[in-house]
Amino acid sequence: MQTRTIGPVTVSAIGLGGMPMSIEGRPGEARSVRTIHAALDAGVTLIDTADAYHLNAGETGHNERLIAKALASYPGDTSDVLVATKGGHLRPGDGSWTLDGSPAHLREAAEASLKALGVDVIGLYQFHRPDPRVPYADSIGAIKELLDAGKIRLAGISNASIEQIELARSILGEGNLASVQNEFSPAFRSSEGELRHCAAAGIAFLPWSPLGGSGRAGQLGTRHAAFGEVAAAHGVSPQRVTPVVIPIPGASRPESIIDSAQAPELVLSAAELARLDAS
Ligand SMILES: NC(=O)c1ccc[n+]([C@@H]2O[C@H](COP(=O)([O-])OP(=O)(O)OC[C@H]3O[C@@H](n4cnc5c(N)ncnc54)[C@H](OP(=O)(O)O)[C@@H]3O)[C@@H](O)[C@H]2O)c1
């Protein structure tokens, strides 16, 4: 498995997105644990989660607890696995996603995530989404407090604009914004500016829904014909062709993550990359 860095931490070039194992359509726990173990077997050392990856009211942290359980029952060494969680979103249980970016909530949420993950320090803590009712600087100030208090090792943000990335950098201090997680896929390229900005600033960029999201991931090769054609030429799945920074493809089946984890080994020609870019 090729590697990338998030701040000073080395991780696999492909991560595992935990969301499909805890929200609508989630599988039973046994299959989820098999999926996480398959990712670890394949060399994945970055697992993305959030306290809000759950379905019903009262089960905040469902995905964090699932990941903690799968890591604990894995027979191999998991000490190099970076679990990246998030705070600032809530799910009241009616299918909606609500926001609370207040410093008080973020402090409480981080404590709950520490417990759900069963750790003393969270590897990477990401502010999930800007809350329009709370000044962005206040939310990021809370993340800085967590960093200073040693409750989180690395700080990241998600769903952020270039202006918010710069504000977060200035509040967190030089070199302390480790990652930005925005939506980016062949279907949604709206964060191309943020991706380039992060590349120039040396900040890890973690594209979310890198295959276009759960509902669309299966049709990647037909919705984006170039991906299907280049994949066929290499005898691989279109999902394995998708080239980005440290993608965190979600999976609820072992087969999906086993396939996606092989993406970094696929060598594409300049002409093929240009073709995918133009599609
Ligand atoms: N920060 C944010 O606001 C935010 C928002 C959304 C998502 N996320 C994060 O980003 C992660 C990824 O996003 P996502 O799950 O929404 O969408 P996605 O990664 O674009 O698509 C996920 C789906 O792709 C399928 N898949 C994965 N690898 C495959 C392969 N090699 N071949 C065929 N199908 C494959 C999986 O199917 P199976 O389920 O059948 O395995 C899964 O349901 C999430 O899990 C979450 O951690 C973050």
Side-chain angles (χ1 to χ4, degrees):
M1 173 66 86
Q2 288 181 31
T3 56
R4 304 276 188 273
T5 53
I6 302 183
V9 179
T10 299
V11 295
S12 54
I14 294 280
L16 168 67
M19 190 172 78
M21 293 180 277
S22 288
I23 64 164
E24 287 80 351
R26 66 189 183 193
E29 187 176 288
R31 191 176 100 190
S32 293
V33 169
R34 279 204 310 279
T35 302
I36 297 165
H37 286 181
L40 298 169
D41 287 345
V44 168
T45 59
L46 169 66
I47 303 180
D48 182 73
T49 180
D51 58 357
Y53 293 165
H54 66 93
L55 192 51
N56 305 311
E59 57 171 23
T60 303
H62 178 278
N63 197 244
E64 296 172 316
R65 286 188 294 277
L66 178 67
I67 289 164
K69 192 169 181 180
L71 287 173
S73 65
Y74 188 66
D77 179 18
T78 57
S79 58
D80 59 345
V81 174
L82 179 68
V83 178
T85 193
K86 313 182 198 79
H89 247 315
L90 295 105
R91 299 209 75 191
D94 59 0
S96 68
W97 296 75
T98 57
L99 293 170
D100 189 347
S102 66
H105 171 71
L106 291 172
R107 277 193 289 271
E108 260 174 44
E111 289 297 338
S113 288
L114 280 164
K115 232 182 241 159
L117 291 168
V119 294
D120 297 327
V121 181
I122 293 171
L124 169 61
Y125 196 66
Q126 308 156 99
F127 177 43
H128 207 147
R129 189 179 286 275
D131 179 349
R133 296 166 314 162
V134 178
Y136 197 64
D138 292 1
S139 302
I140 301 301
I143 304 291
K144 165 94 165 107
E145 277 174 28
L146 293 168
L147 199 57
D148 290 344
K151 304 232 174 212
I152 65 175
R153 179 172 181 201
L154 301 172
I157 55 177
S158 180
N159 301 299
S161 65
I162 290 177
E163 293 69 33
Q164 288 163 337
I165 293 171
E166 283 309 300
L167 183 56
R169 276 176 93 186
S170 69
I171 292 169
L172 293 170
E174 189 52 37
N176 285 338
L177 177 62
S179 66
V180 171
Q181 181 176 143
N182 279 10
E183 184 172 28
F184 193 77
S185 69
F188 298 99
R189 297 195 189 190
S190 49
S191 279
E192 198 151 352
E194 286 78 10
L195 191 160
R196 290 185 197 286
H197 190 78
C198 287
I203 300 167
F205 187 88
L206 279 46
W208 63 255
S209 291
L211 304 175
S214 281
R216 293 166 167 252
Q219 301 110 50
L220 184 72
T222 44
R223 283 180 186 259
H224 304 275
F227 283 80
E229 288 156 20
V230 169
H234 285 268
V236 300
S237 73
Q239 290 79 11
R240 208 188 291 185
V241 170
T242 310
V244 263
V245 190
I246 314 177
I248 45 169
S252 65
R253 290 177 303 125
E255 297 84 341
S256 307
I257 189 61
I258 289 168
D259 185 61
S260 298
Q262 293 173 68
E265 312 312 324
L266 184 66
V267 179
L268 299 174
S269 68
E272 285 173 325
L273 286 170
R275 193 165 158 207
L276 299 175
D277 203 28
S279 76

